[in-house]
Amino acid sequence: MTPTLHALSNWSPEAVVFDCDGTLMDTERHWQDARGRAFREFGLLPPPGFAERAKGVHYMDCGRLMAEETNKPDLAADLAAALLGHFLSLVADDPLTMPGASEFVRLLSGRLPLAVASNCPLEVVEESLGRAGLRRHFRHVVVPTGPPGEPAGPQPVADREPAETVVRPKPWPDVYATAARLCGVLPGAALAVEDSLTGVESAWRAGLRVLGVGPLPDGGDTGHADAWVRALDCEEVLGRAWDRPTSPMGEEQAHGHEHHDPS
């Protein structure tokens, strides 16, 4: 049975952390197109069901998966680079938000600290949210500091974070754990909003409660999501958003404290 929002009825978050692709921004189709272009660039055919397996996966991991499933392991790095290049070109031309995402974010803005935890490169997230007019609502953007399994050298993810901090991509819990910490709340007091099982796993491992959004995954398995809704424009989501009065300084804080997290 699909978990409903009723599971969160007696609880209110102290912060909300959003995934970007497929949750805030309608970019999954861009990733799908980019994967198709990358496959064609190297004369390869996408394996059956690859789109579902690749959903929410870091682009470096996706490049490896593309190479492994086409029996071309030596092309992993080249496929990953081609994938990212094609995606950046596509998203720059067509930055669309998911249904209800803009309204939901604006309803929460000023009431709660908001952050983004994404597997995408920082420039993709910043550009997408900026072009959609949403970047100013988020205090923090957290992305991985290096490719999965090969973290970049020590670098800060925020001006208050230790320089040696390394943030691994989803499904590791790092991006969500870091986002909650930067928002100043314990993980269990934060709500993650996710569209993929990879992201749900990451948020759950970090200790956040999770609202899944979008079409149900194949087989109806919602993983560790506390609740799942078809879209953020549904009445039960917008109606809650999120049961807290706006603080006198809330709007100023939401718009005046945009920490650029160089993760």
Side-chain angles (χ1 to χ4, degrees), residues 170-235:
K170 306 171 189 178
W172 293 96
D174 301 22
V175 288
Y176 276 107
T178 300
R181 183 168 65 250
L182 292 175
C183 285
V185 304
L186 294 173
L191 177 70
V193 185
E194 265 288 352
D195 75 306
S196 74
L197 290 181
T198 299
V200 169
E201 176 75 10
S202 170
W204 174 77
R205 290 174 66 183
L208 283 70
R209 303 194 74 174
V210 188
L211 173 63
V213 59
L216 289 176
D218 285 351
D221 178 13
T222 57
H224 294 286
D226 293 275
W228 200 285
V229 296
R230 60 171 181 78
L232 292 176
D233 63 355
C234 67
E235 184 177 348

Side-chain angles (χ1 to χ4, degrees), residues 29-31 33-34 37 85-95:
R29 59 192 175 87
H30 292 326
W31 281 117
D33 288 346
R37 292 185 182 190
H86 288 305
F87 175 79
L88 288 172
S89 176
L90 288 164
V91 78
D93 293 334
D94 191 16

